[in-house]
Amino acid sequence: MIDIGANLTHKSFDHDMDDVIKRSLDAEVEKIIVTASSIEDTKKAIELTEQYSNTLWATAGVHPHNAKDVEEQIEVKLKQLLTHQKIVAIGEIGLDYCRNFSEPNEQKKIFKIQLDIAAENSLPVFLHQRDSHQDFVAILKDYQSHLIGGVAHCFTEGSKELKDFLDLGLYIGVTGWLCDPRRNRNLIDAIQYIPIDRLLIETDAPYLMPKALEKELKTRRNEPCFLPHVAQAIAEYKKIDIGEVVLKTSQNTKRLFFKLQQ
């Protein structure tokens, strides 16, 4: 299995990263893409990929929450980071109007700059969207013909939003949100419409711990080693074998991020 999105630069992993990686490998999670949310975060993610070079890769980018903190030199700084061989995508980028930690106009400006960089460097995009669907889709439509691909990370919405994303040619990233019966109804309704060849799996660790595990293990810190629970939930809701979920999502991930045609 491949975890396409884990926030391993989070401080909760600072004290036991060796164990986290070992547990992931023991759970047959062979590759993990470390999600970056700022320039400094990207640098830390790159350091992790150098330390665990056989297991970790990374994204490079600025999350919409951090758009207000970006200096005018974002293009220069980001392009310098892209020279590292372990960077496989521009992300986590997008729009988030839920709390507006950065003003929408600031978010849209930084989003477009990073989409330009992705297009210029033939890198896929790792996308974040919350409460901003209309603006998000409108911007991506303008860039669709210039991008080589991308993923709607941590998809939690319904069939209408799913159709918009599929029409844009995006892959769909599913997390442990699917395992939370209190809030997963939209995703359950949409999951049957996600083509297996457009599906990716992720933990978004340390967030979105599958609820049953949270109760069983009495911890809220999610880890990549729990990715099989996401695959199992998808298999159950789509009524297919978990082996098919693992095979297809791994092939899809390699095609998008590692440029391997399976």
Side-chain angles (χ1 to χ4, degrees):
M1 283 168 284
I2 303 174
D3 187 347
I4 68 152
N7 301 283
L8 297 185
T9 60
H10 192 274
K11 61 183 180 180
S12 66
F13 293 114
D14 288 348
H15 68 287
D16 65 344
M17 186 63 74
D18 286 349
D19 293 334
V20 169
I21 298 299
K22 183 179 186 305
R23 283 191 289 268
S24 300
L25 295 173
D26 289 345
E28 298 185 355
V29 179
E30 64 174 356
K31 290 183 175 67
I32 303 165
I33 298 175
V34 182
T35 310
S37 61
S38 67
I39 297 298
E40 289 306 312
D41 202 35
T42 301
K43 293 177 181 178
K44 186 174 179 181
I46 287 173
E47 290 174 1
L48 286 174
T49 67
E50 292 173 345
Q51 187 175 355
Y52 303 97
S53 60
N54 292 328
T55 307
L56 301 185
W57 282 257
T59 68
V62 177
H63 190 286
H65 283 341
N66 299 321
K68 66 181 183 299
D69 301 319
V70 173
E71 301 175 6
E72 292 184 1
Q73 293 182 327
I74 178 179
E75 292 181 71
V76 173
K77 291 183 176 181
L78 192 52
K79 287 179 180 179
Q80 287 174 342
L81 294 170
L82 297 186
T83 61
H84 197 280
Q85 62 181 356
K86 283 303 192 93
I87 297 297
V88 296
I90 300 295
E92 179 176 354
I93 65 173
L95 301 175
D96 191 319
Y97 297 171
C98 180
R99 297 182 184 176
N100 280 335
F101 289 130
S102 294
E103 289 298 317
N105 285 338
E106 290 177 316
Q107 294 186 40
K108 286 187 277 190
K109 176 184 176 183
I110 299 305
F111 186 27
K112 291 176 182 178
I113 287 173
Q114 294 182 101
L115 288 172
D116 282 330
I117 293 172
E120 291 169 11
N121 291 272
S122 298
L123 284 168
V125 285
F126 190 91
L127 297 165
H128 172 99
Q129 186 280 132
R130 192 174 183 187
D131 294 352
S132 55
H133 184 81
Q134 187 172 347
D135 285 354
F136 182 77
V137 170
I139 290 172
L140 284 174
K141 281 182 178 178
D142 289 339
Y143 282 87
Q144 184 177 1
S145 63
H146 304 290
L147 297 171
I148 67 166
V151 56
H153 148 69
C154 191
F155 180 77
T156 60
E157 297 172 292
S159 300
K160 179 187 180 301
E161 293 83 4
L162 173 65
K163 183 180 185 303
D164 288 341
F165 292 160
L166 293 176
D167 287 346
L168 284 166
L170 298 177
Y171 287 84
I172 308 298
V174 174
T175 66
W177 187 282
L178 185 61
C179 308
D180 187 347
R182 299 175 304 174
R183 53 184 183 173
N184 65 1
R185 180 48 53 189
N186 283 344
L187 184 52
I188 290 174
D189 292 342
I191 195 79
Q192 62 181 310
Y193 300 111
I194 304 177
I196 192 67
D197 64 351
R198 302 282 283 279
L199 185 63
L200 305 178
I201 54 176
E202 53 181 322
T203 58
D204 201 33
Y207 313 110
L208 299 180
M209 164 80 94
K211 281 299 172 184
L213 282 177
E214 184 179 313
K215 294 178 181 178
E216 177 185 339
L217 300 176
K218 294 181 174 57
T219 178
R220 297 188 66 182
R221 189 185 78 167
N222 198 10
E223 294 186 22
C225 66
F226 300 136
L227 189 64
H229 294 270
V230 178
Q232 182 62 49
I234 291 171
E236 291 174 0
Y237 284 118
K238 289 185 76 67
K239 296 180 172 57
I240 58 178
D241 185 79
I242 187 174
E244 183 178 0
V245 175
V246 170
L247 175 63
K248 293 295 186 180
T249 56
S250 294
Q251 289 177 338
N252 297 341
T253 302
K254 291 173 182 177
R255 188 178 304 116
L256 177 62
F257 293 114
F258 300 102
K259 298 180 173 63
L260 297 178
Q261 298 298 321
Q262 299 292 327

